[in-house]
Amino acid sequence: MRTRRSLLDLDDLGTEEFEEIFARTAAFESKPPERRLAGIACVNIFFEPSTRTFTSFNLAELRLGADVVNLTPTDLSYLHKGETIEDTIVTLSAMGIGVLVVRHPEEGFPKSVAMNFDGHVINAGDGTHAHPTQALLDLYTMLEEFGSLRERVVAIVGDVLHSRVAHSLIAGLRRLGAQTVLVGPEAFVPEEYAGEGVRIERSFDAVLGSADVILLLRIQRERFVSMPISDEEYKRRYCLDEKRLARVRDATIVMHPGPYNRGTELADCVLAFAGWRYAKQVLHGISVRMAVLDLLINGS
Ligand code: ASP
């Protein structure tokens, strides 16, 4: 086993490894996988709520034949009995655990875990920082649709500032040559995000007819104290409602990492739109995570 190879953000992967992950994802989707993680223990520790990421990591590990343990904050001695997190991680290392999948509200927490752990750490979302496997499944969903993302226009709409999904995805889109447009008010999309392959647009209406992909984000209310613009104004300017949807081209796909809030970032009609790809994203989430686990454990 290759030791200490972790996935904390997308820059831990070379571009050829992106391709390798996407190829393995496609292979796992067309043929039931072998038990490529037989004998490997995977421990999932989620300090924040999660439905999609938690379930799909579990399924990915089980389908690859791994031994799976789930720990919640209530199970962890270090939060209740005075042990340090470092000593907890050393303990899990001593058990020969192969993979730790970690979600935590603090930016950098998975990285600090990786420093004390002998196996592989996968960041399942750390605060506002990064969510690499979500970015990979989103990229895979777009690639499945368009073949290549070179010069494709991807509009990411909403609370970019607090979104770890957006932060990882922007880096991935830049790597694959897409034209990213960040859409939102200044408070959620500060000017500093503009750069190579990334521009900012304050008006959602201005991108509706030109975007190949519209990826909507949830407002990350748990990550700030007060809403910088009123809910009413946000909905008026950024909700993908019936009127806006009517202006979206038929070939455009609409995505959301979930959980989505009806009536805020999207209206019910979006869920019936032919280009709504949410279910595909969720499904690809399992196979992309299988591909990541397989790459970390079994190598290229
Ligand atoms: N599920 C994603 C995350 O954990 C997106 C969200 O919560 O809005 O970051």
Side-chain angles (χ1 to χ4, degrees):
M1 187 168 90
R2 293 151 47 144
T3 54
R4 300 186 67 89
R5 177 84 206 275
S6 289
L7 178 61
L8 303 175
D9 202 353
L10 287 191
D11 51 16
D12 290 320
L13 298 170
T15 301
E16 63 300 339
E17 286 178 310
F18 271 43
E19 277 155 28
E20 204 162 325
I21 286 170
F22 298 144
R24 275 180 217 211
T25 301
F28 288 146
E29 289 194 349
S30 65
K31 187 168 161 272
E34 303 153 33
R35 294 170 48 82
R36 292 176 61 85
L37 260 61
I40 304 287
C42 296
V43 176
N44 306 305
I45 313 182
F46 280 61
F47 292 83
E48 274 188 348
S50 173
T51 306
R52 282 146 286 264
T53 307
F54 178 75
T55 308
S56 59
F57 264 114
N58 268 259
L59 288 173
E61 293 155 359
L62 290 167
R63 286 183 189 171
L64 289 170
D67 302 323
V68 181
V69 175
N70 290 305
L71 293 177
T72 64
T74 30
D75 303 317
L76 291 168
S77 299
Y78 95 91
L79 291 174
H80 310 283
K81 297 188 181 176
E83 186 180 48
T84 65
I85 176 67
E86 289 79 12
D87 291 334
T88 305
I89 301 305
V90 168
T91 304
L92 294 174
S93 275
M95 288 183 196
I97 306 291
V99 181
L100 275 184
V101 177
V102 183
R103 167 170 291 192
H104 199 277
E106 237 173 72
E107 293 81 15
F109 186 87
K111 186 174 180 182
S112 62
V113 166
M115 278 163 21
N116 293 290
F117 184 59
D118 288 334
H120 310 271
V121 175
I122 301 179
N123 179 5
D126 60 332
T128 62
H129 173 230
H131 196 346
T133 57
Q134 178 72 45
L136 289 168
L137 77 89
D138 289 339
L139 293 170
Y140 184 83
T141 305
M142 294 178 206
L143 284 167
E144 181 182 57
E145 200 74 32
F146 300 110
S148 158
L149 296 186
R150 197 147 288 282
E151 302 305 323
R152 290 286 178 182
V153 178
V154 179
I156 302 178
V157 187
D159 182 8
V160 173
L161 181 64
H162 303 101
S163 169
R164 55 195 178 203
V165 171
H167 294 151
S168 292
L169 184 59
I170 292 167
L173 288 168
R174 184 177 286 133
R175 195 95 77 89
L176 298 187
Q179 294 295 320
T180 303
V181 189
L182 303 178
V183 184
E186 169 87 42
F188 285 156
V189 185
E191 288 296 333
E192 301 84 78
Y193 279 95
E196 193 203 324
V198 182
R199 68 180 178 87
I200 291 174
E201 180 55 75
R202 302 281 169 225
S203 159
F204 192 8
D205 296 304
V207 302
L208 291 172
S210 58
D212 294 297
V213 178
I214 295 174
L215 188 137
L216 305 166
L217 296 172
R218 182 177 65 87
I219 299 171
Q220 306 283 297
R221 295 180 198 268
E222 69 276 33
R223 309 210 188 278
F224 54 81
V225 181
S226 68
M227 184 70 179
I229 68 171
S230 74
D231 283 343
E232 284 324 305
E233 186 185 347
Y234 185 85
K235 289 178 206 172
R236 186 174 55 72
R237 292 173 63 190
Y238 298 109
C239 178
L240 185 55
D241 57 14
E242 215 167 327
K243 247 169 91 188
R244 290 200 171 97
L245 192 61
R247 296 187 44 212
V248 170
R249 287 181 294 127
D250 286 346
T252 299
I253 62 167
V254 181
M255 299 171 57
H256 196 304
Y260 51 79
N261 289 178
R262 296 173 188 233
T264 302
E265 62 264 24
L266 51 79
D268 286 0
C269 58
V270 174
L271 312 184
F273 177 60
W276 175 235
R277 290 291 177 270
Y278 172 75
K280 287 234 168 167
Q281 290 172 264
V282 173
L283 190 65
H284 293 326
I286 304 168
S287 28
V288 162
R289 289 178 173 115
M290 283 165 61
V292 166
L293 286 159
D294 188 38
L295 181 78
L296 291 181
I297 295 291
N298 295 317
S300 299

